[in-house]
Amino acid sequence: MPLLSRRLRAALLATASATLVAATLPAPEPLGLGDRLFPELGNPGYDVLAYDIAFTYHGSNTKPLDAVTKISARTTAPLDRINLDFARGTVRDVEVDGRRVDFGSKNEDLVLQPPRPLPAGAPLNITVRHTSDPAGAADDGGWVRTADGLAMANQADAAHRVFPGNDHPSDKAFFTFRITAPRELTAVAAGLPVGETRHGATTTWTYRTRHPMATELAQVSIGRSAVAHRTGPHGLPVRDVVPAADREKLEPWLKKTPAQLEWMEQQIGRYPFETYGVLVADSPIGFALETQTLSLFGKSFFTEPAYPQWYVDSVMVHELAHQWFGNSVSPGTWSDLWLNEGHASWYEARHAAENGGPTLERRMREAYELSDGWRADGGPPAHPDGPAPGQKLSLFRPVVYDGSALVLYALRQEIGQAAFDRLERTWVRVHRDSTATTADFTRLASGIAGRDLTAFFDGWLYARKTPPMPGHPQWRSAKPA
């Protein structure tokens, strides 16, 4: 999720409070998976297999949507209560395995009382009827209001401001979206369309993913949109969703996507999903976001004349690279974010170097000069400092972008280009459609290099000072201000 600046990567999303209708459940308590950076995010005791989420949009992007979220899961431990993440909306009623149950809320958890204690290994079906409120501040995350509707920006911890679920990337699931909106609007979502039904003045659009997805990568867009179809490598369906009035203006940029897909496939192998495309939102968002199969960009990114062509192209490649790094292979914890952003920034930098931007060596040398300052400000790449109070997405600092791409450059210098290229291809193949951690990456790198790289990674991933650059002993990191 790069900001539209080469140097500064800051977060624009924050947290918001919920409006939950509590029933008679006594003393609900928040849980969490114990993530070092977001300790109350996610919930133990069950594994979500699939979400089926229905939204009804009433023609105004300031009014709550009516919603029904159905969750198919399996318990992984005995449960006498079920915690879901949910923080913005009114819960009307809840069913567990077909029976209405009591519920309550605490902090950002919705706590359910199942009709009976659940053993480990049991199927679990939850239905929550609720509203989904887009009326929070523009930088709260979750729904993003556009000039003609809505889109989603759920990273890192904002999906539960849109729908209840297990909002942690370690619990990926299949998704079905059913969006009902006035018939003059167009609704799109992650995955492929599987149905479109008209009901008088409204249309219901249905989309389904063919691969599991982390909640933070979900995308739904509603607006006066045009959908442009084209074909990518191997017959891949490519669809771009843009404001209808801007379709011709944006076409010179959007038609580049098939070639960008081909370039990425040459680097690391076949594209991992069923479709891809660009979603252009008519909204003053200052970031791009790698939502799965449909990357989100603000319109001004493509219309701002100050951005050189190579820069726009390279950021498009950054979000595309995330489809492999972060989406297909998702982080096991949020401390593993460097694997997402470092890789996306690496391929962004390489594409820029081949298409009119600065050379890779120049960009990495500049990053090296700034690296000690980045580590001082935000921690080392694989052990980042926690977000600032009230600004959870301040986690997205320069150290996880070019500061982490620098780790990959050092690794290639250390083990050689052939071994590095084999590592990249093996990583996305072995962990496709799953989650993986920094320990998984360092173990695989050592195996492919044929030697123990523990000391190398300890310095590059966890030290507060940047180690010497292999092959470039003359490089120096500037002293932090």
Side-chain angles (χ1 to χ4, degrees), residues 304-429:
E304 170 54 61
Y307 298 144
Q309 178 174 315
W310 66 262
Y311 173 71
V312 176
D313 289 345
S314 68
V315 174
M316 292 177 72
V317 168
H318 180 112
E319 304 309 331
L320 173 58
H322 270 306
Q323 304 300 315
W324 284 266
F325 298 99
N327 296 13
S328 180
V329 185
S330 297
T333 74
W334 278 109
S335 294
D336 301 310
L337 176 64
W338 81 274
L339 287 166
N340 301 15
E341 299 298 350
H343 276 101
S345 299
W346 170 254
Y347 291 101
E348 171 195 336
R350 289 190 50 212
H351 191 273
E354 294 180 17
N355 293 276
T359 66
L360 181 65
E361 183 172 322
R362 174 185 164 188
R363 180 162 170 171
M364 292 299 100
R365 184 167 186 166
E366 291 177 353
Y368 191 88
E369 291 171 355
L370 296 168
S371 179
D372 278 359
W374 290 342
R375 290 175 183 234
D377 290 341
H383 196 80
D385 295 345
Q391 302 177 32
K392 289 187 178 181
L393 282 191
S394 63
L395 174 65
F396 291 87
R397 305 178 178 103
V399 73
V400 303
Y401 291 93
D402 277 16
S404 296
L406 187 66
V407 176
L408 299 175
Y409 181 82
L411 178 60
R412 192 175 74 166
Q413 293 288 106
E414 178 75 14
I415 67 177
Q417 182 169 335
F420 180 83
D421 290 347
R422 188 161 65 253
L423 168 63
E424 295 288 275
R425 288 175 173 269
T426 303
W427 174 253
V428 296
R429 185 182 72 250

Side-chain angles (χ1 to χ4, degrees), residues 71-408:
I71 299 172
S72 299
R74 182 168 293 275
T75 59
T76 58
L79 290 176
D80 56 9
R81 290 188 183 180
I82 303 162
N83 281 51
L84 302 174
D85 300 302
F86 189 50
R88 186 186 293 158
T90 298
V91 177
R92 291 171 173 152
D93 67 72
V94 181
E95 295 179 4
V96 173
D97 293 334
R99 296 179 59 182
R100 293 186 70 174
V101 300
D102 289 342
F103 59 90
S105 65
K106 185 68 177 292
N107 297 353
E108 297 189 347
D109 274 25
L110 172 64
V111 185
L112 318 180
Q113 181 68 60
R116 62 185 183 284
L118 300 170
L124 176 61
N125 294 287
I126 301 167
T127 299
V128 183
R129 294 175 179 85
H130 60 98
T131 63
S132 185
D133 194 348
D139 58 355
D140 278 349
W143 288 116
V144 172
R145 295 193 296 275
T146 67
D148 57 359
L150 295 170
M152 281 187 194
N154 293 332
Q155 199 176 89
D157 71 328
H160 66 278
R161 296 178 199 133
V162 177
F163 58 89
N166 204 23
D167 192 13
H168 192 274
S170 62
D171 192 0
K172 299 168 71 168
F174 293 91
F175 278 74
T176 298
F177 296 100
R178 309 174 195 274
I179 309 113
T180 300
R183 63 185 304 173
E184 66 270 17
L185 303 181
T186 298
V188 295
L192 290 172
V194 295
E196 180 182 332
T197 306
R198 292 187 176 182
H199 317 272
T202 65
T203 301
T204 298
W205 312 71
T206 303
Y207 293 83
R208 185 169 294 128
T209 66
R210 292 185 179 176
H211 298 264
M213 180 169 67
T215 50
E216 47 113 358
L217 301 172
Q219 183 57 267
V220 169
S221 170
I222 305 166
R224 298 182 185 276
S225 304
V227 182
H229 296 277
R230 61 195 92 232
T231 302
H234 323 291
L236 179 75
V238 176
R239 48 87 189 261
D240 298 311
V241 183
V242 302
D246 298 303
R247 178 171 179 170
E248 291 186 9
K249 181 192 304 183
L250 296 170
E251 178 62 18
W253 295 109
L254 304 178
K255 69 182 183 182
K256 296 183 177 200
T257 299
Q260 293 168 353
L261 281 157
E262 290 177 0
W263 187 85
M264 279 300 303
E265 287 196 347
Q266 290 168 6
Q267 314 311 311
I268 49 176
R270 193 154 179 161
Y271 177 74
F273 296 121
E274 63 271 26
T275 184
Y276 185 65
V278 168
L279 167 63
V280 180
D282 189 356
S283 179
I285 58 174
F287 57 86
L289 184 63
E290 65 274 14
T291 40
Q292 189 162 310
T293 73
L294 190 63
S295 293
L296 173 67
F297 295 82
K299 185 175 75 170
S300 64
F301 177 66
F302 297 103
T303 58
E304 170 54 61
Y307 298 144
Q309 178 174 315
W310 66 262
Y311 173 71
V312 176
D313 289 345
S314 68
V315 174
M316 292 177 72
V317 168
H318 180 112
E319 304 309 331
L320 173 58
H322 270 306
Q323 304 300 315
W324 284 266
F325 298 99
N327 296 13
S328 180
V329 185
S330 297
T333 74
W334 278 109
S335 294
D336 301 310
L337 176 64
W338 81 274
L339 287 166
N340 301 15
E341 299 298 350
H343 276 101
S345 299
W346 170 254
Y347 291 101
E348 171 195 336
R350 289 190 50 212
H351 191 273
E354 294 180 17
N355 293 276
T359 66
L360 181 65
E361 183 172 322
R362 174 185 164 188
R363 180 162 170 171
M364 292 299 100
R365 184 167 186 166
E366 291 177 353
Y368 191 88
E369 291 171 355
L370 296 168
S371 179
D372 278 359
W374 290 342
R375 290 175 183 234
D377 290 341
H383 196 80
D385 295 345
Q391 302 177 32
K392 289 187 178 181
L393 282 191
S394 63
L395 174 65
F396 291 87
R397 305 178 178 103
V399 73
V400 303
Y401 291 93
D402 277 16
S404 296
L406 187 66
V407 176
L408 299 175

